[in-house]
Amino acid sequence: MGADLQRFWEVRGHWQAGRELLEGLLAARSGGEDASAEAGALLCAGVMCLRKSDYPAARGYFEQALALYREVGDRNGEAHGLNYLGIVVQCTADYPAARGYYEQALALYREVGDRNGEAHGLNCLGNVALHTGDYPAARGYYEQTLALCREVGDRNGEAHGLNCLGLVALLTGDYPAARGYYEQALAIFREMGSQRGSAGCLGNLGLVALDTGDYPAARGYFEQALALFRQIGAPLEQIMGLEGFACYWCAVKNHARAARLYGATAALRAELGTPLSPLYAAEQKQWREACEAALGAEQHALCLQEGSALTLEQACALALQQ
């Protein structure tokens, strides 16, 4: 039952509650449980840890689940374990390893005829292509994802596919298309009650507004996104929200605040063990350089240092100040 609640907990953001319940159940094992059910519970516990950015714990659960799935010959479960291990290593910026896990998982999903799993595997391969700068390959993977999700009626997967296609459009400068994809994805996420998905789309709409010079709209989107991420307690997503806010404050010429936020997000990412991907590093480069040019090297370095001492809560408060 705990394993079957994964999608509900994941979509609604009940990650800490789900983790605590599953860890209690797993600690109470007597040794006679059904191995497939136990593997499902381990996998679900790993997902709860993943969403809370506890990558070492998540990896440990996924590796245990994978071993059990292999022990009982559950090929579909094995594919899930491999795919989630790919997500963990991608979060730590090991893209070659992530691609290897995803490719193994995709082959297994196709072998057993799991169309939902195949769509998820294609989406993950698209994420690797996107974060390593191969936009045509990313678009191809996401289009296949979207078609499969619509075929099987997976609304959550459909929304993720649309959101990812929006990212490709944003990064290639097609802002009307990006906005359209994000708005479609946001409508589905809201229909499902997915706070994490909704917040991600709102943040991405903020990036469209920022890049097209509509700074009041950008701030509004970033505020909504950060509020939702704080509500569900998503550390990595809050940091990403702060990075969007840093770009906003730079755009409206509050360079000192922007630099402090950049200092905070760099330190917070280091604490989590999740470096900024090359994709977002390139996107932020112009804003960071503008901060340094406006402040001067000495003042810029001081602001970065001050920001690096902030907690996540303090950084959020700084970002949201009027």
PDB file of all heavy atoms in Angstrom, residues 19 23 26 39 41-66 80-89 91-92:
ATOM      1  N   ARG A  19       7.958   9.692   3.295  1.00  0.00           N
ATOM      2  CA  ARG A  19       9.249   9.108   3.679  1.00  0.00           C
ATOM      3  C   ARG A  19       9.195   8.533   5.093  1.00  0.00           C
ATOM      4  O   ARG A  19       9.653   7.409   5.339  1.00  0.00           O
ATOM      5  CB  ARG A  19      10.350  10.162   3.582  1.00  0.00           C
ATOM      6  CG  ARG A  19      11.711   9.662   4.047  1.00  0.00           C
ATOM      7  CD  ARG A  19      12.791  10.710   3.920  1.00  0.00           C
ATOM      8  NE  ARG A  19      14.077  10.185   4.352  1.00  0.00           N
ATOM      9  CZ  ARG A  19      15.233  10.839   4.227  1.00  0.00           C
ATOM     10  NH1 ARG A  19      15.276  12.031   3.676  1.00  0.00           N
ATOM     11  NH2 ARG A  19      16.360  10.295   4.663  1.00  0.00           N
ATOM     12  N   GLU A  23       9.716   4.614   5.882  1.00  0.00           N
ATOM     13  CA  GLU A  23      10.888   4.209   6.658  1.00  0.00           C
ATOM     14  C   GLU A  23      10.471   3.456   7.917  1.00  0.00           C
ATOM     15  O   GLU A  23      11.147   2.508   8.337  1.00  0.00           O
ATOM     16  CB  GLU A  23      11.754   5.433   6.986  1.00  0.00           C
ATOM     17  CG  GLU A  23      12.494   5.945   5.756  1.00  0.00           C
ATOM     18  CD  GLU A  23      13.413   7.122   6.034  1.00  0.00           C
ATOM     19  OE1 GLU A  23      13.195   7.840   7.026  1.00  0.00           O
ATOM     20  OE2 GLU A  23      14.347   7.326   5.237  1.00  0.00           O
ATOM     21  N   LEU A  26       9.491  -0.048   6.676  1.00  0.00           N
ATOM     22  CA  LEU A  26      10.674  -0.828   6.276  1.00  0.00           C
ATOM     23  C   LEU A  26      11.496  -1.255   7.494  1.00  0.00           C
ATOM     24  O   LEU A  26      12.061  -2.347   7.519  1.00  0.00           O
ATOM     25  CB  LEU A  26      11.536  -0.009   5.302  1.00  0.00           C
ATOM     26  CG  LEU A  26      10.934   0.165   3.897  1.00  0.00           C
ATOM     27  CD1 LEU A  26      11.636   1.291   3.133  1.00  0.00           C
ATOM     28  CD2 LEU A  26      11.036  -1.139   3.111  1.00  0.00           C
ATOM     29  N   ALA A  39      10.461  -4.347  -2.581  1.00  0.00           N
ATOM     30  CA  ALA A  39      11.207  -3.551  -3.553  1.00  0.00           C
ATOM     31  C   ALA A  39      10.427  -2.299  -3.926  1.00  0.00           C
ATOM     32  O   ALA A  39      11.004  -1.206  -4.057  1.00  0.00           O
ATOM     33  CB  ALA A  39      11.496  -4.381  -4.801  1.00  0.00           C
ATOM     34  N   ALA A  41       8.301  -0.693  -2.037  1.00  0.00           N
ATOM     35  CA  ALA A  41       8.368   0.235  -0.908  1.00  0.00           C
ATOM     36  C   ALA A  41       9.727   0.934  -0.858  1.00  0.00           C
ATOM     37  O   ALA A  41       9.817   2.128  -0.567  1.00  0.00           O
ATOM     38  CB  ALA A  41       8.105  -0.510   0.393  1.00  0.00           C
ATOM     39  N   LEU A  42      10.786   0.177  -1.125  1.00  0.00           N
ATOM     40  CA  LEU A  42      12.130   0.777  -1.159  1.00  0.00           C
ATOM     41  C   LEU A  42      12.229   1.822  -2.266  1.00  0.00           C
ATOM     42  O   LEU A  42      12.799   2.905  -2.082  1.00  0.00           O
ATOM     43  CB  LEU A  42      13.181  -0.314  -1.385  1.00  0.00           C
ATOM     44  CG  LEU A  42      13.463  -1.235  -0.196  1.00  0.00           C
ATOM     45  CD1 LEU A  42      14.171  -2.503  -0.662  1.00  0.00           C
ATOM     46  CD2 LEU A  42      14.299  -0.510   0.862  1.00  0.00           C
ATOM     47  N   LEU A  43      11.666   1.506  -3.427  1.00  0.00           N
ATOM     48  CA  LEU A  43      11.701   2.450  -4.548  1.00  0.00           C
ATOM     49  C   LEU A  43      10.948   3.724  -4.190  1.00  0.00           C
ATOM     50  O   LEU A  43      11.435   4.840  -4.432  1.00  0.00           O
ATOM     51  CB  LEU A  43      11.079   1.804  -5.785  1.00  0.00           C
ATOM     52  CG  LEU A  43      11.287   2.554  -7.101  1.00  0.00           C
ATOM     53  CD1 LEU A  43      12.686   2.286  -7.653  1.00  0.00           C
ATOM     54  CD2 LEU A  43      10.254   2.136  -8.126  1.00  0.00           C
ATOM     55  N   CYS A  44       9.776   3.567  -3.594  1.00  0.00           N
ATOM     56  CA  CYS A  44       8.972   4.723  -3.211  1.00  0.00           C
ATOM     57  C   CYS A  44       9.694   5.573  -2.162  1.00  0.00           C
ATOM     58  O   CYS A  44       9.700   6.796  -2.233  1.00  0.00           O
ATOM     59  CB  CYS A  44       7.620   4.260  -2.680  1.00  0.00           C
ATOM     60  SG  CYS A  44       6.496   5.602  -2.275  1.00  0.00           S
ATOM     61  N   ALA A  45      10.332   4.915  -1.180  1.00  0.00           N
ATOM     62  CA  ALA A  45      11.100   5.658  -0.171  1.00  0.00           C
ATOM     63  C   ALA A  45      12.219   6.457  -0.836  1.00  0.00           C
ATOM     64  O   ALA A  45      12.501   7.602  -0.463  1.00  0.00           O
ATOM     65  CB  ALA A  45      11.676   4.689   0.854  1.00  0.00           C
ATOM     66  N   GLY A  46      12.847   5.856  -1.843  1.00  0.00           N
ATOM     67  CA  GLY A  46      13.892   6.558  -2.575  1.00  0.00           C
ATOM     68  C   GLY A  46      13.366   7.787  -3.286  1.00  0.00           C
ATOM     69  O   GLY A  46      14.020   8.841  -3.305  1.00  0.00           O
ATOM     70  N   VAL A  47      12.172   7.684  -3.866  1.00  0.00           N
ATOM     71  CA  VAL A  47      11.574   8.831  -4.557  1.00  0.00           C
ATOM     72  C   VAL A  47      11.289   9.957  -3.560  1.00  0.00           C
ATOM     73  O   VAL A  47      11.536  11.137  -3.853  1.00  0.00           O
ATOM     74  CB  VAL A  47      10.288   8.417  -5.291  1.00  0.00           C
ATOM     75  CG1 VAL A  47       9.583   9.646  -5.884  1.00  0.00           C
ATOM     76  CG2 VAL A  47      10.601   7.425  -6.409  1.00  0.00           C
ATOM     77  N   MET A  48      10.783   9.606  -2.377  1.00  0.00           N
ATOM     78  CA  MET A  48      10.515  10.637  -1.364  1.00  0.00           C
ATOM     79  C   MET A  48      11.815  11.353  -0.965  1.00  0.00           C
ATOM     80  O   MET A  48      11.852  12.580  -0.812  1.00  0.00           O
ATOM     81  CB  MET A  48       9.858  10.017  -0.124  1.00  0.00           C
ATOM     82  CG  MET A  48       8.512   9.342  -0.361  1.00  0.00           C
ATOM     83  SD  MET A  48       7.234  10.384  -1.070  1.00  0.00           S
ATOM     84  CE  MET A  48       7.238   9.831  -2.795  1.00  0.00           C
ATOM     85  N   CYS A  49      12.892  10.591  -0.819  1.00  0.00           N
ATOM     86  CA  CYS A  49      14.195  11.194  -0.491  1.00  0.00           C
ATOM     87  C   CYS A  49      14.705  12.047  -1.646  1.00  0.00           C
ATOM     88  O   CYS A  49      15.277  13.127  -1.438  1.00  0.00           O
ATOM     89  CB  CYS A  49      15.211  10.104  -0.169  1.00  0.00           C
ATOM     90  SG  CYS A  49      14.844   9.162   1.311  1.00  0.00           S
ATOM     91  N   LEU A  50      14.497  11.570  -2.859  1.00  0.00           N
ATOM     92  CA  LEU A  50      14.929  12.316  -4.040  1.00  0.00           C
ATOM     93  C   LEU A  50      14.260  13.679  -4.093  1.00  0.00           C
ATOM     94  O   LEU A  50      14.914  14.698  -4.353  1.00  0.00           O
ATOM     95  CB  LEU A  50      14.573  11.505  -5.288  1.00  0.00           C
ATOM     96  CG  LEU A  50      14.881  12.125  -6.657  1.00  0.00           C
ATOM     97  CD1 LEU A  50      16.383  12.284  -6.858  1.00  0.00           C
ATOM     98  CD2 LEU A  50      14.295  11.259  -7.772  1.00  0.00           C
ATOM     99  N   ARG A  51      12.965  13.715  -3.828  1.00  0.00           N
ATOM    100  CA  ARG A  51      12.247  14.985  -3.894  1.00  0.00           C
ATOM    101  C   ARG A  51      12.691  15.950  -2.793  1.00  0.00           C
ATOM    102  O   ARG A  51      12.553  17.165  -2.934  1.00  0.00           O
ATOM    103  CB  ARG A  51      10.737  14.740  -3.799  1.00  0.00           C
ATOM    104  CG  ARG A  51      10.170  13.934  -4.955  1.00  0.00           C
ATOM    105  CD  ARG A  51      10.425  14.599  -6.283  1.00  0.00           C
ATOM    106  NE  ARG A  51      10.030  13.758  -7.405  1.00  0.00           N
ATOM    107  CZ  ARG A  51      10.690  13.669  -8.538  1.00  0.00           C
ATOM    108  NH1 ARG A  51      11.790  14.369  -8.715  1.00  0.00           N
ATOM    109  NH2 ARG A  51      10.270  12.892  -9.513  1.00  0.00           N
ATOM    110  N   LYS A  52      13.208  15.412  -1.697  1.00  0.00           N
ATOM    111  CA  LYS A  52      13.737  16.261  -0.622  1.00  0.00           C
ATOM    112  C   LYS A  52      15.224  16.554  -0.815  1.00  0.00           C
ATOM    113  O   LYS A  52      15.882  17.113   0.064  1.00  0.00           O
ATOM    114  CB  LYS A  52      13.508  15.596   0.734  1.00  0.00           C
ATOM    115  CG  LYS A  52      12.045  15.435   1.128  1.00  0.00           C
ATOM    116  CD  LYS A  52      11.350  16.766   1.367  1.00  0.00           C
ATOM    117  CE  LYS A  52      11.813  17.424   2.652  1.00  0.00           C
ATOM    118  NZ  LYS A  52      11.080  18.677   2.910  1.00  0.00           N
ATOM    119  N   SER A  53      15.780  16.153  -1.972  1.00  0.00           N
ATOM    120  CA  SER A  53      17.190  16.380  -2.327  1.00  0.00           C
ATOM    121  C   SER A  53      18.171  15.655  -1.410  1.00  0.00           C
ATOM    122  O   SER A  53      19.317  16.081  -1.266  1.00  0.00           O
ATOM    123  CB  SER A  53      17.513  17.885  -2.363  1.00  0.00           C
ATOM    124  OG  SER A  53      16.686  18.546  -3.286  1.00  0.00           O
ATOM    125  N   ASP A  54      17.730  14.553  -0.796  1.00  0.00           N
ATOM    126  CA  ASP A  54      18.627  13.715   0.005  1.00  0.00           C
ATOM    127  C   ASP A  54      19.145  12.612  -0.926  1.00  0.00           C
ATOM    128  O   ASP A  54      18.661  11.479  -0.913  1.00  0.00           O
ATOM    129  CB  ASP A  54      17.891  13.123   1.201  1.00  0.00           C
ATOM    130  CG  ASP A  54      18.834  12.380   2.154  1.00  0.00           C
ATOM    131  OD1 ASP A  54      19.986  12.121   1.767  1.00  0.00           O
ATOM    132  OD2 ASP A  54      18.402  12.050   3.280  1.00  0.00           O
ATOM    133  N   TYR A  55      20.154  12.952  -1.729  1.00  0.00           N
ATOM    134  CA  TYR A  55      20.595  12.063  -2.801  1.00  0.00           C
ATOM    135  C   TYR A  55      21.294  10.799  -2.304  1.00  0.00           C
ATOM    136  O   TYR A  55      21.063   9.718  -2.863  1.00  0.00           O
ATOM    137  CB  TYR A  55      21.472  12.825  -3.798  1.00  0.00           C
ATOM    138  CG  TYR A  55      20.748  14.022  -4.364  1.00  0.00           C
ATOM    139  CD1 TYR A  55      21.243  15.314  -4.189  1.00  0.00           C
ATOM    140  CD2 TYR A  55      19.537  13.873  -5.035  1.00  0.00           C
ATOM    141  CE1 TYR A  55      20.556  16.412  -4.687  1.00  0.00           C
ATOM    142  CE2 TYR A  55      18.848  14.966  -5.527  1.00  0.00           C
ATOM    143  CZ  TYR A  55      19.355  16.235  -5.354  1.00  0.00           C
ATOM    144  OH  TYR A  55      18.681  17.329  -5.834  1.00  0.00           O
ATOM    145  N   PRO A  56      22.132  10.867  -1.268  1.00  0.00           N
ATOM    146  CA  PRO A  56      22.738   9.620  -0.783  1.00  0.00           C
ATOM    147  C   PRO A  56      21.693   8.605  -0.306  1.00  0.00           C
ATOM    148  O   PRO A  56      21.773   7.412  -0.627  1.00  0.00           O
ATOM    149  CB  PRO A  56      23.635  10.093   0.364  1.00  0.00           C
ATOM    150  CG  PRO A  56      23.960  11.521   0.029  1.00  0.00           C
ATOM    151  CD  PRO A  56      22.717  12.056  -0.595  1.00  0.00           C
ATOM    152  N   ALA A  57      20.685   9.091   0.446  1.00  0.00           N
ATOM    153  CA  ALA A  57      19.639   8.177   0.919  1.00  0.00           C
ATOM    154  C   ALA A  57      18.827   7.632  -0.249  1.00  0.00           C
ATOM    155  O   ALA A  57      18.510   6.437  -0.298  1.00  0.00           O
ATOM    156  CB  ALA A  57      18.724   8.898   1.908  1.00  0.00           C
ATOM    157  N   ALA A  58      18.496   8.498  -1.195  1.00  0.00           N
ATOM    158  CA  ALA A  58      17.716   8.058  -2.360  1.00  0.00           C
ATOM    159  C   ALA A  58      18.469   6.980  -3.128  1.00  0.00           C
ATOM    160  O   ALA A  58      17.902   5.939  -3.487  1.00  0.00           O
ATOM    161  CB  ALA A  58      17.431   9.254  -3.272  1.00  0.00           C
ATOM    162  N   ARG A  59      19.755   7.212  -3.353  1.00  0.00           N
ATOM    163  CA  ARG A  59      20.538   6.229  -4.112  1.00  0.00           C
ATOM    164  C   ARG A  59      20.576   4.883  -3.377  1.00  0.00           C
ATOM    165  O   ARG A  59      20.471   3.824  -4.007  1.00  0.00           O
ATOM    166  CB  ARG A  59      21.951   6.759  -4.345  1.00  0.00           C
ATOM    167  CG  ARG A  59      22.801   5.821  -5.189  1.00  0.00           C
ATOM    168  CD  ARG A  59      24.053   6.479  -5.681  1.00  0.00           C
ATOM    169  NE  ARG A  59      24.688   5.652  -6.704  1.00  0.00           N
ATOM    170  CZ  ARG A  59      25.561   6.091  -7.588  1.00  0.00           C
ATOM    171  NH1 ARG A  59      25.906   7.361  -7.606  1.00  0.00           N
ATOM    172  NH2 ARG A  59      26.080   5.275  -8.479  1.00  0.00           N
ATOM    173  N   GLY A  60      20.733   4.928  -2.063  1.00  0.00           N
ATOM    174  CA  GLY A  60      20.769   3.693  -1.286  1.00  0.00           C
ATOM    175  C   GLY A  60      19.484   2.894  -1.432  1.00  0.00           C
ATOM    176  O   GLY A  60      19.508   1.675  -1.632  1.00  0.00           O
ATOM    177  N   TYR A  61      18.333   3.580  -1.348  1.00  0.00           N
ATOM    178  CA  TYR A  61      17.051   2.888  -1.509  1.00  0.00           C
ATOM    179  C   TYR A  61      16.891   2.331  -2.916  1.00  0.00           C
ATOM    180  O   TYR A  61      16.408   1.206  -3.108  1.00  0.00           O
ATOM    181  CB  TYR A  61      15.895   3.838  -1.190  1.00  0.00           C
ATOM    182  CG  TYR A  61      15.666   4.056   0.289  1.00  0.00           C
ATOM    183  CD1 TYR A  61      15.649   5.341   0.835  1.00  0.00           C
ATOM    184  CD2 TYR A  61      15.447   2.985   1.147  1.00  0.00           C
ATOM    185  CE1 TYR A  61      15.429   5.552   2.185  1.00  0.00           C
ATOM    186  CE2 TYR A  61      15.221   3.180   2.503  1.00  0.00           C
ATOM    187  CZ  TYR A  61      15.216   4.467   3.021  1.00  0.00           C
ATOM    188  OH  TYR A  61      15.000   4.664   4.366  1.00  0.00           O
ATOM    189  N   PHE A  62      17.274   3.118  -3.934  1.00  0.00           N
ATOM    190  CA  PHE A  62      17.120   2.649  -5.311  1.00  0.00           C
ATOM    191  C   PHE A  62      18.007   1.434  -5.590  1.00  0.00           C
ATOM    192  O   PHE A  62      17.607   0.508  -6.292  1.00  0.00           O
ATOM    193  CB  PHE A  62      17.451   3.764  -6.300  1.00  0.00           C
ATOM    194  CG  PHE A  62      16.483   4.922  -6.285  1.00  0.00           C
ATOM    195  CD1 PHE A  62      16.922   6.218  -6.521  1.00  0.00           C
ATOM    196  CD2 PHE A  62      15.134   4.711  -6.029  1.00  0.00           C
ATOM    197  CE1 PHE A  62      16.038   7.277  -6.510  1.00  0.00           C
ATOM    198  CE2 PHE A  62      14.234   5.779  -6.007  1.00  0.00           C
ATOM    199  CZ  PHE A  62      14.697   7.066  -6.251  1.00  0.00           C
ATOM    200  N   GLU A  63      19.213   1.448  -5.033  1.00  0.00           N
ATOM    201  CA  GLU A  63      20.106   0.298  -5.243  1.00  0.00           C
ATOM    202  C   GLU A  63      19.553  -0.960  -4.568  1.00  0.00           C
ATOM    203  O   GLU A  63      19.633  -2.064  -5.130  1.00  0.00           O
ATOM    204  CB  GLU A  63      21.507   0.629  -4.729  1.00  0.00           C
ATOM    205  CG  GLU A  63      22.244   1.608  -5.652  1.00  0.00           C
ATOM    206  CD  GLU A  63      23.557   2.087  -5.088  1.00  0.00           C
ATOM    207  OE1 GLU A  63      23.782   1.914  -3.860  1.00  0.00           O
ATOM    208  OE2 GLU A  63      24.376   2.656  -5.849  1.00  0.00           O
ATOM    209  N   GLN A  64      18.977  -0.804  -3.364  1.00  0.00           N
ATOM    210  CA  GLN A  64      18.357  -1.956  -2.695  1.00  0.00           C
ATOM    211  C   GLN A  64      17.154  -2.472  -3.495  1.00  0.00           C
ATOM    212  O   GLN A  64      16.968  -3.681  -3.654  1.00  0.00           O
ATOM    213  CB  GLN A  64      17.891  -1.560  -1.291  1.00  0.00           C
ATOM    214  CG  GLN A  64      18.992  -1.277  -0.287  1.00  0.00           C
ATOM    215  CD  GLN A  64      18.395  -0.880   1.051  1.00  0.00           C
ATOM    216  OE1 GLN A  64      17.781  -1.697   1.744  1.00  0.00           O
ATOM    217  NE2 GLN A  64      18.551   0.377   1.431  1.00  0.00           N
ATOM    218  N   ALA A  65      16.350  -1.549  -3.987  1.00  0.00           N
ATOM    219  CA  ALA A  65      15.178  -1.944  -4.773  1.00  0.00           C
ATOM    220  C   ALA A  65      15.606  -2.672  -6.043  1.00  0.00           C
ATOM    221  O   ALA A  65      15.036  -3.714  -6.400  1.00  0.00           O
ATOM    222  CB  ALA A  65      14.346  -0.710  -5.131  1.00  0.00           C
ATOM    223  N   LEU A  66      16.619  -2.126  -6.716  1.00  0.00           N
ATOM    224  CA  LEU A  66      17.094  -2.739  -7.957  1.00  0.00           C
ATOM    225  C   LEU A  66      17.584  -4.161  -7.713  1.00  0.00           C
ATOM    226  O   LEU A  66      17.277  -5.089  -8.487  1.00  0.00           O
ATOM    227  CB  LEU A  66      18.214  -1.875  -8.559  1.00  0.00           C
ATOM    228  CG  LEU A  66      18.839  -2.364  -9.866  1.00  0.00           C
ATOM    229  CD1 LEU A  66      17.802  -2.469 -10.960  1.00  0.00           C
ATOM    230  CD2 LEU A  66      19.988  -1.435 -10.284  1.00  0.00           C
ATOM    231  N   HIS A  80      12.477   0.486 -13.514  1.00  0.00           N
ATOM    232  CA  HIS A  80      12.201   1.626 -12.623  1.00  0.00           C
ATOM    233  C   HIS A  80      13.441   1.963 -11.774  1.00  0.00           C
ATOM    234  O   HIS A  80      13.802   3.142 -11.624  1.00  0.00           O
ATOM    235  CB  HIS A  80      11.038   1.303 -11.691  1.00  0.00           C
ATOM    236  CG  HIS A  80       9.705   1.190 -12.369  1.00  0.00           C
ATOM    237  ND1 HIS A  80       9.368   1.909 -13.486  1.00  0.00           N
ATOM    238  CD2 HIS A  80       8.626   0.419 -12.072  1.00  0.00           C
ATOM    239  CE1 HIS A  80       8.133   1.600 -13.853  1.00  0.00           C
ATOM    240  NE2 HIS A  80       7.655   0.687 -13.012  1.00  0.00           N
ATOM    241  N   GLY A  81      14.067   0.937 -11.212  1.00  0.00           N
ATOM    242  CA  GLY A  81      15.255   1.165 -10.382  1.00  0.00           C
ATOM    243  C   GLY A  81      16.373   1.837 -11.158  1.00  0.00           C
ATOM    244  O   GLY A  81      17.017   2.775 -10.670  1.00  0.00           O
ATOM    245  N   LEU A  82      16.621   1.364 -12.369  1.00  0.00           N
ATOM    246  CA  LEU A  82      17.669   1.953 -13.206  1.00  0.00           C
ATOM    247  C   LEU A  82      17.340   3.402 -13.562  1.00  0.00           C
ATOM    248  O   LEU A  82      18.216   4.278 -13.534  1.00  0.00           O
ATOM    249  CB  LEU A  82      17.834   1.130 -14.487  1.00  0.00           C
ATOM    250  CG  LEU A  82      18.491  -0.241 -14.316  1.00  0.00           C
ATOM    251  CD1 LEU A  82      18.253  -1.106 -15.552  1.00  0.00           C
ATOM    252  CD2 LEU A  82      19.996  -0.086 -14.068  1.00  0.00           C
ATOM    253  N   ASN A  83      16.078   3.646 -13.909  1.00  0.00           N
ATOM    254  CA  ASN A  83      15.700   5.003 -14.312  1.00  0.00           C
ATOM    255  C   ASN A  83      15.874   5.990 -13.160  1.00  0.00           C
ATOM    256  O   ASN A  83      16.381   7.104 -13.346  1.00  0.00           O
ATOM    257  CB  ASN A  83      14.261   5.019 -14.812  1.00  0.00           C
ATOM    258  CG  ASN A  83      14.032   6.102 -15.846  1.00  0.00           C
ATOM    259  OD1 ASN A  83      14.497   5.997 -16.977  1.00  0.00           O
ATOM    260  ND2 ASN A  83      13.334   7.146 -15.467  1.00  0.00           N
ATOM    261  N   TYR A  84      15.461   5.578 -11.966  1.00  0.00           N
ATOM    262  CA  TYR A  84      15.602   6.489 -10.824  1.00  0.00           C
ATOM    263  C   TYR A  84      17.062   6.673 -10.420  1.00  0.00           C
ATOM    264  O   TYR A  84      17.451   7.763  -9.962  1.00  0.00           O
ATOM    265  CB  TYR A  84      14.764   5.996  -9.639  1.00  0.00           C
ATOM    266  CG  TYR A  84      13.323   6.448  -9.733  1.00  0.00           C
ATOM    267  CD1 TYR A  84      12.291   5.524  -9.857  1.00  0.00           C
ATOM    268  CD2 TYR A  84      12.993   7.797  -9.699  1.00  0.00           C
ATOM    269  CE1 TYR A  84      10.971   5.937  -9.958  1.00  0.00           C
ATOM    270  CE2 TYR A  84      11.680   8.217  -9.803  1.00  0.00           C
ATOM    271  CZ  TYR A  84      10.673   7.280  -9.928  1.00  0.00           C
ATOM    272  OH  TYR A  84       9.361   7.699 -10.026  1.00  0.00           O
ATOM    273  N   LEU A  85      17.880   5.666 -10.587  1.00  0.00           N
ATOM    274  CA  LEU A  85      19.311   5.857 -10.342  1.00  0.00           C
ATOM    275  C   LEU A  85      19.876   6.878 -11.328  1.00  0.00           C
ATOM    276  O   LEU A  85      20.746   7.682 -10.978  1.00  0.00           O
ATOM    277  CB  LEU A  85      20.059   4.526 -10.455  1.00  0.00           C
ATOM    278  CG  LEU A  85      19.971   3.621  -9.221  1.00  0.00           C
ATOM    279  CD1 LEU A  85      20.492   2.221  -9.543  1.00  0.00           C
ATOM    280  CD2 LEU A  85      20.767   4.211  -8.057  1.00  0.00           C
ATOM    281  N   GLY A  86      19.373   6.856 -12.561  1.00  0.00           N
ATOM    282  CA  GLY A  86      19.786   7.863 -13.531  1.00  0.00           C
ATOM    283  C   GLY A  86      19.428   9.263 -13.081  1.00  0.00           C
ATOM    284  O   GLY A  86      20.226  10.201 -13.234  1.00  0.00           O
ATOM    285  N   ILE A  87      18.235   9.418 -12.501  1.00  0.00           N
ATOM    286  CA  ILE A  87      17.823  10.742 -12.028  1.00  0.00           C
ATOM    287  C   ILE A  87      18.728  11.228 -10.905  1.00  0.00           C
ATOM    288  O   ILE A  87      19.121  12.397 -10.859  1.00  0.00           O
ATOM    289  CB  ILE A  87      16.347  10.704 -11.580  1.00  0.00           C
ATOM    290  CG1 ILE A  87      15.437  10.442 -12.787  1.00  0.00           C
ATOM    291  CG2 ILE A  87      15.955  12.024 -10.898  1.00  0.00           C
ATOM    292  CD1 ILE A  87      13.981  10.208 -12.433  1.00  0.00           C
ATOM    293  N   VAL A  88      19.087  10.319  -9.992  1.00  0.00           N
ATOM    294  CA  VAL A  88      19.962  10.707  -8.877  1.00  0.00           C
ATOM    295  C   VAL A  88      21.310  11.204  -9.399  1.00  0.00           C
ATOM    296  O   VAL A  88      21.791  12.271  -8.991  1.00  0.00           O
ATOM    297  CB  VAL A  88      20.177   9.528  -7.899  1.00  0.00           C
ATOM    298  CG1 VAL A  88      21.290   9.854  -6.909  1.00  0.00           C
ATOM    299  CG2 VAL A  88      18.904   9.221  -7.142  1.00  0.00           C
ATOM    300  N   VAL A  89      21.925  10.455 -10.303  1.00  0.00           N
ATOM    301  CA  VAL A  89      23.256  10.873 -10.762  1.00  0.00           C
ATOM    302  C   VAL A  89      23.162  12.099 -11.659  1.00  0.00           C
ATOM    303  O   VAL A  89      24.091  12.912 -11.708  1.00  0.00           O
ATOM    304  CB  VAL A  89      24.028   9.725 -11.457  1.00  0.00           C
ATOM    305  CG1 VAL A  89      24.283   8.589 -10.492  1.00  0.00           C
ATOM    306  CG2 VAL A  89      23.321   9.218 -12.697  1.00  0.00           C
ATOM    307  N   CYS A  91      21.157  14.579 -11.055  1.00  0.00           N
ATOM    308  CA  CYS A  91      21.082  15.692 -10.099  1.00  0.00           C
ATOM    309  C   CYS A  91      22.463  16.107  -9.606  1.00  0.00           C
ATOM    310  O   CYS A  91      22.656  17.248  -9.178  1.00  0.00           O
ATOM    311  CB  CYS A  91      20.197  15.313  -8.918  1.00  0.00           C
ATOM    312  SG  CYS A  91      18.437  15.241  -9.321  1.00  0.00           S
ATOM    313  N   THR A  92      23.413  15.200  -9.640  1.00  0.00           N
ATOM    314  CA  THR A  92      24.784  15.529  -9.230  1.00  0.00           C
ATOM    315  C   THR A  92      25.664  15.834 -10.442  1.00  0.00           C
ATOM    316  O   THR A  92      26.887  15.860 -10.344  1.00  0.00           O
ATOM    317  CB  THR A  92      25.392  14.381  -8.405  1.00  0.00           C
ATOM    318  OG1 THR A  92      25.385  13.179  -9.182  1.00  0.00           O
ATOM    319  CG2 THR A  92      24.589  14.151  -7.137  1.00  0.00           C
TER     320      THR A  92
END
